[in-house]
Amino acid sequence: MAEEAKSTRAETTGSDGISEKKQGHLLERTKSRQLSGMLPEGAVDPVYQAKAEVLNRAIQEIGFGKYQAFLFVLTGWGWLVGNVWLISTSIILTPVVNEFHAGGPFLILSQNIGLLVGAAVFALGADIWGRRVSFGATLLIAGIFSTAAAGSPTFTGLCVFAAIWSVGVGGILPVASAIFLEFLPGTHQYLLTVLSVGWAIGQLLAALVAWAILPNRSCPQTATTCAKKDNMGWRYFVIAMGGLQVMVILLGIRFFVLHLHESPKYLMGRGRDAEAVEVVHKVAAYNGKTSNLTLEDLTRFDKEDITGEGKGLDSSAKAAVQRNVEKFSANHIKSLFRTRKLAISTSLIIIIWALIGLAYPLYSSFVPYYLATRGADFGDGSVYITYRNQVILSVLGIPGALIGGWAVDLPYVGRRGALSISAILTGVFLFAATTARTSGALLGWNCGYNLTIHIMYGVLYAMTPELFSTKDRGTGNGIASTTNRIFGVMAPIIALYADLTTSVPIWVAGALFLLCGIIALLLPLEPRGKTSL
């Protein structure tokens, strides 16, 4: 849905502008565009496509207002929660391993499996249950099961809870992004990228709470035994983070301060055209404006035989899911490789996503553990110092994300150069970290790593969609994201055999980042200064 909205933006904002609405009926202006070349013929229900373009035009005419601003805060909270629980697993890893004397990578493996399942389930579930229900479900699953994890009597029980709460986390990002994007006018879709600031703030929030709770309530890293009563810090931490999340929901930030409307496109796709029109009018009124969208603007397509088969829109749940799955049809996949240059570009960007999916969790998921164990070797591995350092590292994520957004437009560097430089520097900082002989040096090298990794991700997220044409962008992004998740599951498996007490996982991760930097230079397409098709 997100990519569909982006596609429509390019095709519905012409020289006539929004004022075109005053010159004639909304339907008449959309009719000429209803079967535009956004997707190959037959890839999407033409009635659905025509109605979606009408709704996109209506949202564009309402413009950006108070409702979208509140929605930015709401979905930004979703991004924040997503990273809170991604980083929380690594934060509690050290005290958990000390208490249960278990293999830490198994906890990360459970998390990554849950993330993969959640992304798949809720990406499709949003088309069955709706965006609003799915978003609420992802937040509740993450909040409730993470809080319940505090009572885990065994390491296996904790892994089960981590997998379940990660199902919710895995679904938060795609659903939150879809909700925000489907209410955004095309002129403001850049704000979807700005949502990533919530991601960096989430990491900082988790680190600050951990720093406040864990140091005085965790077993020392050098302790030979670690009883539950001496190691309650990680339990208090997950209760605090999960409780905060549930409390925000129950206090009504989602349901009362801001009434979250269901997506008009979802309602239309399920045959609820009247409700879709009603939502558009409610959003317009909330923004202090009016909309001229009428029910006839949508239902007229059901009466016309634009499919050539004498039938209207299939509004069943099966059809809703099928419209989502069809983004990955053979036609779209073939289009990603239709020329030699495009085939090389698509293959290399997918390889980059795969390698990063393996390298990033191989190191980042175990950062607190590395800091604690290496600090102990240096005679400075106190729990307080470990989590203080985690806060320092988290602070650097915010400027890193902003620098990444700035770096993509640097002259003579561009997307390829910025991606290559940041990835190579990330690998170099990891290699350098293995040479540290003091906790201060280790922290310094990790600061460099955390800054460049956020720059790299900022560039990569901006660059990837630009390498695919509008009609195939959903497929390309989906393949890259899925590959990234699959390789993320492999990272803790490697960590199990590589031995976290050695520098082997760090060397492997560093080598993979260096390889990504080299591959980035081989990309045949440079999107800087060019308009995406």
Side-chain angles (χ1 to χ4, degrees):
M1 299 297 294
E3 300 309 327
E4 180 181 285
K6 291 179 182 178
S7 304
T8 306
R9 174 189 173 189
E11 295 174 16
T12 59
T13 53
S15 59
D16 52 353
I18 296 175
S19 61
E20 231 182 43
K21 178 70 182 65
K22 301 177 182 178
Q23 301 175 10
H25 196 270
L26 179 63
L27 175 63
E28 296 306 318
R29 287 188 291 103
T30 306
K31 189 174 181 181
S32 64
R33 295 181 175 92
Q34 64 189 22
L35 292 178
S36 56
M38 183 166 55
L39 294 171
E41 183 177 356
V44 171
D45 187 320
V47 178
Y48 175 85
Q49 182 175 339
K51 290 184 175 183
E53 292 179 2
V54 171
L55 291 174
N56 282 335
R57 175 69 72 165
I59 293 295
Q60 179 67 38
E61 289 172 344
I62 293 173
F64 186 89
K66 188 166 61 173
Y67 183 80
Q68 285 80 4
F70 277 115
L71 203 58
F72 177 84
V73 175
L74 178 67
T75 53
W77 171 260
W79 278 66
L80 182 150
V81 168
N83 204 24
V84 158
W85 290 113
L86 285 178
I87 192 67
S88 292
T89 308
S90 62
I91 284 175
I92 67 173
L93 184 64
T94 302
V96 164
V97 170
N98 289 340
E99 178 178 335
F100 294 115
H101 302 288
F106 283 112
L107 181 60
I108 305 300
L109 177 61
S110 301
Q111 178 192 50
N112 287 345
I113 291 174
L115 291 173
L116 179 61
V117 172
V121 169
F122 284 101
L124 297 179
D127 285 335
I128 301 175
W129 312 308
R131 277 65 163 148
R132 183 172 58 177
V133 172
S134 296
F135 187 54
T138 58
L139 291 175
L140 285 172
I141 290 173
I144 291 174
F145 284 96
S146 59
T147 305
S152 301
T154 64
F155 181 73
T156 301
L158 178 60
C159 288
V160 172
F161 279 116
I164 298 175
W165 89 50
S166 294
V167 170
V169 174
I172 287 175
L173 292 188
V175 176
S177 299
I179 289 174
F180 186 48
L181 191 60
E182 289 175 9
F183 281 101
L184 268 184
T187 53
H188 288 74
Q189 287 181 2
Y190 66 90
L191 288 174
L192 188 64
T193 303
V194 181
L195 279 178
S196 62
V197 173
W199 186 264
I201 295 175
Q203 180 178 352
L204 178 59
L205 173 63
L208 285 171
V209 174
W211 190 20
I213 294 177
L214 270 70
N216 297 323
R217 299 171 180 84
S218 301
C219 297
Q221 184 62 32
T222 55
T224 55
T225 59
C226 184
K228 177 181 177 180
K229 63 182 179 64
D230 300 321
N231 200 49
M232 293 295 291
W234 71 265
R235 291 179 169 86
Y236 295 149
F237 171 76
V238 296
I239 290 173
M241 302 310 300
L244 174 63
Q245 181 179 331
V246 174
M247 181 183 68
V248 169
I249 297 174
L250 295 181
L251 286 177
I253 296 298
R254 284 196 62 249
F255 298 108
F256 300 106
V257 175
L258 168 65
H259 178 65
L260 177 61
H261 298 298
E262 184 55 86
S263 163
K265 283 187 182 177
Y266 166 76
L267 294 171
M268 174 271 293
R270 297 306 306 274
R272 296 154 63 181
D273 290 350
E275 293 178 59
V277 173
E278 182 182 4
V279 167
V280 171
H281 283 277
K282 285 182 177 179
V283 172
Y286 196 87
N287 288 352
K289 296 186 177 182
T290 59
S291 173
N292 293 317
L293 180 68
T294 67
L295 181 59
E296 174 63 18
D297 290 334
L298 298 180
T299 58
R300 182 169 177 177
F301 290 110
D302 293 321
K303 302 172 185 177
E304 296 178 354
D305 185 17
I306 67 172
T307 65
E309 300 177 3
K311 60 180 181 181
L313 174 66
D314 184 351
S315 59
S316 66
K318 178 181 178 181
V321 173
Q322 194 171 26
R323 280 190 287 270
N324 200 0
V325 174
E326 279 172 347
K327 291 188 296 185
F328 299 94
S329 68
N331 287 336
H332 291 290
I333 295 175
K334 289 178 181 178
S335 295
L336 297 174
F337 301 90
R338 64 179 177 272
T339 67
R340 183 175 180 273
K341 179 177 288 189
L342 190 57
I344 293 174
S345 176
T346 299
S347 300
L348 292 182
I349 200 66
I350 291 174
I351 290 173
I352 290 174
W353 273 103
L355 294 178
I356 290 176
L358 179 59
Y360 178 73
L362 189 59
Y363 183 72
S364 294
S365 295
F366 303 101
V367 165
Y369 183 84
Y370 289 135
L371 291 175
T373 55
R374 303 307 190 274
D377 292 339
F378 302 145
D380 189 16
S382 70
V383 178
Y384 177 87
I385 294 297
T386 297
Y387 291 105
R388 182 210 65 181
N389 292 350
Q390 183 65 39
V391 170
I392 294 173
L393 295 178
S394 299
V395 169
L396 291 171
I398 297 176
L402 298 176
I403 292 172
W406 163 78
V408 295
D409 281 327
L410 283 177
Y412 307 110
V413 177
R415 271 71 157 163
R416 283 181 304 191
L419 179 60
S420 177
I421 293 171
S422 58
I424 289 175
L425 286 177
T426 299
V428 169
F429 282 127
L430 283 185
F431 287 146
T434 64
T435 69
R437 295 296 178 264
T438 66
S439 59
L442 181 62
L443 174 62
W445 292 124
N446 273 280
C447 284
Y449 163 81
N450 214 47
L451 179 67
T452 57
I453 190 70
H454 280 85
I455 295 174
M456 185 197 72
Y457 265 116
V459 175
L460 189 60
Y461 273 111
M463 179 181 189
T464 302
E466 296 175 318
L467 295 177
F468 306 122
S469 64
T470 297
K471 68 183 182 65
D472 304 313
R473 194 168 292 150
T475 302
N477 287 345
I479 292 175
S481 177
T482 301
T483 305
N484 182 267
R485 289 295 189 194
I486 291 174
F487 275 73
V489 172
M490 296 168 57
I493 298 176
I494 293 177
L496 282 169
Y497 292 96
D499 187 0
L500 292 177
T501 61
T502 71
S503 297
V504 172
I506 302 177
W507 282 98
V508 172
L512 291 173
F513 280 120
L514 286 178
L515 181 58
C516 287
I518 295 172
I519 293 175
L521 292 176
L522 302 178
L523 286 167
L525 301 177
E526 171 53 66
R528 191 187 77 84
K530 301 181 179 67
T531 302
S532 299
L533 298 177

